[in-house]
Amino acid sequence: MEELVVRKTHVRTELLSLLMRERKLNDTLLSTALNMDRTTVFRARSGKPVGEQFIAGLLAIFPHKRFEDLFYVDEVLRKRNNTAVRREAEA
């Protein structure tokens, strides 16, 4: 049976919240710094997958953090019959 692996990147929400508190950032200020809509930041902080622009922007705002610190990759293995199995990808 064929498998298709789909990888989606998510922000580590607890760490992002901590970093935002340390810098006195709210969603609006962070979205301005990222040059993105506030709803994009809200979705990311709610656990939705993030894109390349969000990843690059967050790494630029918090240069002392590594990708692995701020994000994790979720793998979805899809079988031919369209069943899905989720797991956090190993680094």
Side-chain angles (χ1 to χ4, degrees), residues 45-64:
R45 294 188 65 211
S46 298
K48 302 289 184 200
V50 296
E52 295 172 3
Q53 183 181 355
F54 188 92
I55 294 167
L58 214 57
L59 289 170
I61 292 169
F62 302 107
H64 61 289

Side-chain angles (χ1 to χ4, degrees), residues 9-40:
T9 304
H10 302 267
V11 69
R12 295 190 186 275
T13 56
E14 290 180 19
L15 177 60
L16 179 57
S17 292
L18 175 69
L19 293 170
M20 288 174 66
R21 276 193 305 274
E22 288 175 355
R23 294 246 183 124
K24 296 182 177 28
L25 295 172
N26 58 27
D27 287 357
T28 302
L29 292 171
L30 182 60
S31 66
T32 300
L34 291 170
N35 196 29
M36 300 182 138
D37 192 88
R38 187 178 58 81
T39 57
T40 302

Side-chain angles (χ1 to χ4, degrees), residues 6-10 72-76 86-89:
V6 178
R7 292 181 175 89
K8 295 184 179 184
T9 304
H10 302 267
Y72 70 94
V73 179
D74 186 35
E75 282 188 350
V76 178
R86 291 189 181 277
R87 68 175 185 221
E88 187 172 328

